[in-house]
Amino acid sequence: MAKLHLLLLAFIGTTVAYAQKTTTIWLDGLSIKSFSEGIPAVLPKTNAAGDSMRINRRYFNHGVGVNATSILAFYLDGKATEFSALAGVDDKGNRDLPHTFYVVADRKILFDSGEMRLGDAPKPVNVKLTGVKRLGLLVKVDDDGRTKVYSNWANAQLVMLGNHLPENIPNSDEKYILTPASPKTPRINSATVFGATPANPFLYTIAVTGDRPMQFSARDLPKGLSIDENTGIITGKVAERGRYKATVIAKNALGEATQKLTIKIGDTIALTPPIGWNGWNSWARTIDREKVIASADAMVKMGLRDHGWTYINIDDAWQGKRGGKFGAILPNEKFPRFREMVEYVHSLGLKVGVYSTPMITSYAGYIGGSSDVETGQVTDSIVANKRAFRYVGKYQFDANDAQQMADWGIDYLKYDWRIEVPSAERMSVALKKSGRDILYSISNSAPFANVNDWARLTNSYRTGPDIRDSWNSLFVSAFTLDKWAPYGGPGHWNDPDMMIVGNVTTGTQLHPSRLTPDEQYSHVSLFSLLAAPLLIGCPIEQLDAFTLNLLTNDEVIAIDQDPLGKSARLVINENGLQIWLKPLEDGSYAAGLFNVGDFGKTPESYFRWGDEKTKSFIVDFAKVGLKGKYRLRDVWRQKDLGPFTDSFKTDIRHHGVVLLRMFPEKQP
């Protein structure tokens, strides 16, 4: 009787399971951008250009249009039963490049389209997903930076159990903190070299941690400079060219710290990479005066200024009409009392940046630096049709805008467009004639073929597309920069874009970075090794303890700000290990050991499955070009590891890093 009862219960359970309600959802009904871990656009119901979705002359009203290599990742948690779609290259895509479509579930490839090209009929996709936890949709294209590489998941649908919806891949790994707290005694963290132009305004702030109050002083400053003893801000103007050796001093009740400071007065500014904050990935188009001031206040309150963070940069969306005494771009209604705002930020010892473009309209649809009419004005109809005016107009106003920036006291310009040399050169000349040192950063995707021009004309140049908070985007933006390394240096830095830590908005609403904690350590480590600009892209006042700790390790920052200005080079790339080696001014080396796994080598490797493992590696010194005995220091933990001869063995977490300082020891 008991056996019959158990069989009956089993039958009832099976019947209920089979009868469980399912819901079919269109992928284009989801917030699809939030599921994208690729770089270019992902759009619902259209191709990636925003046009009608069409494959082999057949139109589709439903689906997801993607561009180039595309990665869509979904957390299903066993709540889906089926995925279906028609996969194919969009009729407005690139004719020459083969695309391969994959459906990957819990590390298993369920669909492989083989190579598909423009004009091929769409291929039907229909895969069962019962019990699947994680689903990945991958389109693989070796686009080599080419544009209009459009393809589609047409009529894409998921069948879900009940009313469940797919979720984003969870990012719940422990936010482990490695860096010890700064001591209460003074410790100076400023860059040890600083460049300025003769007779231009000079602003340098001594960054120092330790208990307040703090008293500041300096010895052997060049004529024309003075230091505020309460703030450590050095201001003035130096008329004579030269190389000046000064000493800066910070003192509190517990002790005193000194640091040598080399001041170079000449033609080169930005002798170390810029380090600060940019507002786009925090606030995008909603940036305003109050948010800028709040960010500057937070830079001080959170202690970032004491670790050398300097710039407060306003991205696109501050621009209003053209006018004023210079006939220049003036701020819009969100930025009243603009000069007063700049002066306030300067009073904190920080610097201010703005955004512009040589195009008629900016990417966000605001007035740019050129026009097809002589007055330079941009009408409302032009703004409404901004995509049609993303080109350099007949009349350019570089000199007008540079003069206005200098008059306000601007310290940094982000100049953004599809970069070409003539526009880059016009603004470079205008800034140098403005009477103020304005760091000149051009964006985005600078053509490598013109790298010598970018190094000659600018202080930093974007080496790739806009970064997103995904491992794929970070890998493309930073782990592929070895060919650029010889061209960066003091005064002209390779720029892989803003930092993707903290809360960011990169095409979707503000959310915590999708990088795992391990990936964030790798991110900050590699940017520092590359001598890249360090520009935080998150709201500073929202920093949690983990992210603040990540951004305030002075030994990591010192690698980025090293006066030698050399970028690390990729010296090992095998068996899932990358080693980047950077020579430093004192004769030591910084070495980043990265566990990149097999990323990009298999369809499965593009996704995070939640079961990734730590791996052991042995570093052979001779294989990276070093021989003999080295004293090693773990930079993130600020801990000496001891002397090692010929090799070093360590465990590295998946997509994680071990960042070392390697000091050569004299041989007996």
Side-chain angles (χ1 to χ4, degrees):
M1 193 73 180
K3 185 176 181 181
L4 179 62
H5 180 67
L6 290 173
L7 287 170
L8 182 61
L9 287 176
F11 174 77
I12 292 171
T14 303
T15 302
V16 170
Y18 278 120
Q20 186 169 356
K21 177 187 174 185
T22 61
T23 304
T24 300
I25 62 170
W26 296 105
L27 252 59
D28 55 55
L30 301 172
S31 178
I32 196 63
K33 289 183 179 180
S34 71
F35 296 93
S36 172
E37 299 190 1
I39 301 170
V42 174
L43 295 179
K45 299 183 180 180
T46 70
N47 69 12
D51 297 325
S52 298
M53 184 180 295
R54 191 173 66 170
I55 305 173
N56 194 26
R57 300 181 298 280
R58 178 181 172 186
Y59 285 90
F60 296 90
N61 294 322
H62 281 287
V64 175
V66 301
N67 189 358
T69 292
S70 169
I71 304 163
L72 296 171
F74 304 89
Y75 185 63
L76 303 178
D77 196 26
K79 305 296 195 308
T81 64
E82 187 177 343
F83 170 74
S84 61
L86 289 168
V89 180
D90 190 86
D91 285 0
K92 291 189 177 179
N94 189 293
R95 182 170 299 278
D96 303 320
L97 295 175
H99 297 58
T100 306
F101 296 76
Y102 298 95
V103 178
V104 190
D106 293 344
R107 290 192 182 273
K108 295 179 181 178
I109 299 174
L110 303 185
F111 173 81
D112 177 347
S113 70
E115 289 191 353
M116 298 185 68
R117 294 181 180 269
L118 190 149
D120 290 349
K123 289 191 176 182
V125 184
N126 198 302
V127 296
K128 302 301 181 183
L129 299 177
T130 301
V132 166
K133 297 285 189 180
R134 302 185 185 211
L135 173 69
L137 304 182
L138 172 68
V139 182
K140 185 73 175 71
V141 193
D142 294 324
D143 59 280
D144 195 27
R146 280 175 280 188
T147 58
K148 300 182 179 179
V149 188
Y150 306 142
S151 57
N152 306 313
W153 295 97
N155 288 348
Q157 294 181 320
L158 277 168
V159 179
M160 305 294 298
L161 294 175
N163 294 316
H164 292 286
L165 292 173
E167 299 176 1
N168 297 116
I169 298 297
N171 186 7
S172 55
D173 292 358
E174 178 193 0
K175 291 185 173 182
Y176 57 98
I177 288 176
L178 297 181
T179 302
S182 300
K184 295 182 178 181
T185 53
R187 186 170 68 189
I188 296 175
N189 306 308
S190 313
T192 59
V193 60
F194 187 80
T197 304
N200 280 0
F202 185 104
L203 176 60
Y204 175 92
T205 301
I206 301 172
V208 58
T209 50
D211 283 357
R212 262 52 177 182
M214 194 85 67
Q215 293 294 113
F216 298 90
S217 59
R219 295 192 297 266
D220 302 321
L221 288 177
K223 183 180 178 181
L225 298 185
S226 62
I227 184 170
D228 185 311
E229 65 178 14
N230 295 314
T231 64
I233 300 173
I234 300 174
T235 56
K237 296 181 180 180
V238 182
E240 297 295 326
R241 292 175 175 268
R243 181 188 180 100
Y244 301 90
K245 295 284 191 178
T247 301
V248 294
I249 302 127
K251 184 178 181 180
N252 68 7
L254 300 174
E256 179 179 293
T258 64
Q259 180 174 281
K260 298 294 184 183
L261 172 62
T262 301
I263 298 172
K264 297 181 180 181
I265 305 299
D267 297 323
T268 305
I269 63 172
L271 296 181
T272 59
I275 172 171
W277 173 84
N278 180 289
W280 184 258
N281 285 352
S282 299
W283 307 117
R285 293 169 179 83
T286 67
I287 191 74
D288 58 29
R289 183 181 192 272
E290 288 70 30
K291 290 185 177 72
V292 171
I293 289 174
S295 299
D297 287 338
M299 186 82 86
V300 176
K301 182 179 179 180
M302 301 295 282
L304 290 172
R305 182 189 61 178
D306 301 334
H307 297 272
W309 298 88
T310 300
Y311 288 93
I312 299 290
N313 293 343
I314 309 165
D315 210 287
D316 204 352
W318 69 272
Q319 311 94 305
K321 300 290 186 181
R322 185 173 292 282
K325 65 180 179 179
F326 299 109
I329 300 172
L330 300 178
N332 58 38
E333 67 281 355
K334 296 187 297 177
F335 287 90
R337 306 187 305 283
F338 199 85
R339 184 195 303 276
E340 178 188 288
M341 176 192 70
V342 174
E343 290 173 349
Y344 175 74
V345 176
H346 284 167
S347 74
L348 301 177
L350 303 174
K351 297 185 177 184
V352 182
V354 293
Y355 170 105
S356 192
T357 174
M359 299 186 300
I360 294 175
T361 62
S362 70
Y363 286 104
Y366 292 82
I367 188 172
S370 68
S371 176
D372 282 337
V373 298
E374 194 170 1
T375 62
Q377 293 299 344
V378 171
T379 64
D380 291 341
S381 62
I382 289 176
V383 170
N385 193 22
K386 61 185 181 183
R387 284 182 176 269
F389 293 91
R390 289 178 180 170
Y391 64 88
V392 179
K394 179 179 178 181
Y395 301 96
Q396 292 98 40
F397 301 91
D398 311 81
N400 309 64
D401 294 339
Q403 287 175 320
Q404 180 65 79
M405 289 179 228
D407 188 63
W408 282 328
I410 295 300
D411 306 289
Y412 185 112
L413 170 64
K414 176 181 175 179
Y415 213 42
D416 189 21
W417 82 113
R418 297 298 292 182
I419 300 170
E420 29 78 34
V421 174
S423 293
E425 187 148 22
R426 282 194 309 273
M427 182 53 81
S428 178
V429 171
L431 292 174
K432 288 174 181 175
K433 291 181 177 179
S434 72
R436 186 172 183 83
D437 290 345
I438 300 176
L439 192 150
Y440 181 31
S441 174
I442 60 172
S443 175
N444 57 58
S445 299
F448 181 71
N450 300 110
V451 65
N452 288 309
D453 289 311
W454 316 137
R456 172 177 63 89
L457 295 171
T458 77
N459 301 119
S460 70
Y461 40 90
R462 277 277 302 281
T463 51
D466 291 346
I467 200 169
R468 298 287 185 265
D469 56 317
S470 71
W471 177 257
N472 173 69
S473 183
L474 175 62
F475 197 87
V476 170
S477 295
F479 283 90
T480 58
L481 287 191
D482 187 57
K483 71 177 182 179
W484 292 83
Y487 302 95
H492 48 92
W493 304 102
N494 300 319
D495 177 11
D497 201 9
M498 290 173 279
M499 304 178 76
I500 40 175
V501 298
N503 294 330
V504 295
T505 172
T506 54
T508 59
Q509 64 184 2
L510 201 66
H511 60 274
S513 175
R514 292 178 297 171
L515 294 182
T516 67
D518 295 312
E519 290 168 348
Q520 292 184 59
Y521 276 111
S522 290
H523 173 21
V524 179
S525 298
L526 187 55
F527 270 44
S528 295
L529 287 161
L530 293 172
L534 302 180
L535 294 174
I536 308 165
C538 58
I540 303 171
E541 60 272 24
Q542 297 180 15
L543 291 176
D544 61 8
F546 169 78
T547 311
L548 186 61
N549 188 264
L550 195 68
L551 297 173
T552 53
N553 184 311
D554 298 305
E555 295 186 25
V556 176
I557 295 171
I559 291 171
D560 178 79
Q561 298 286 297
D562 185 72
L564 188 62
K566 293 283 190 181
S567 173
R569 301 303 304 269
L570 179 60
V571 293
I572 292 288
N573 186 14
E574 59 186 28
N575 300 321
L577 174 68
Q578 283 195 5
I579 301 179
W580 292 74
L581 192 67
K582 174 183 172 74
L584 301 174
E585 186 189 44
D586 66 356
S588 68
Y589 295 87
L593 319 178
F594 298 90
N595 177 3
V596 299
D598 60 351
F599 182 77
K601 296 179 180 179
T602 66
E604 305 94 310
S605 69
Y606 284 89
F607 302 94
R608 180 155 47 87
W609 303 108
D611 59 358
E612 290 79 8
K613 305 297 183 185
T614 296
K615 188 175 179 180
S616 292
F617 296 94
I618 297 177
V619 180
D620 184 330
F621 293 171
K623 288 186 70 173
V624 301
L626 305 176
K627 293 182 180 180
K629 190 174 184 180
Y630 286 82
R631 178 170 53 87
L632 303 188
R633 181 170 174 83
D634 184 321
V635 178
W636 278 111
R637 293 174 174 81
Q638 297 183 353
K639 178 182 179 181
D640 289 327
L641 301 179
F644 291 81
T645 302
D646 298 331
S647 66
F648 171 70
K649 183 178 180 180
T650 186
D651 294 338
I652 311 176
R653 296 162 69 111
H654 180 74
H655 289 179
V657 63
V658 171
L659 183 60
L660 300 174
R661 191 80 178 260
M662 304 180 66
F663 300 90
E665 294 210 336
K666 293 181 179 179
Q667 302 302 311

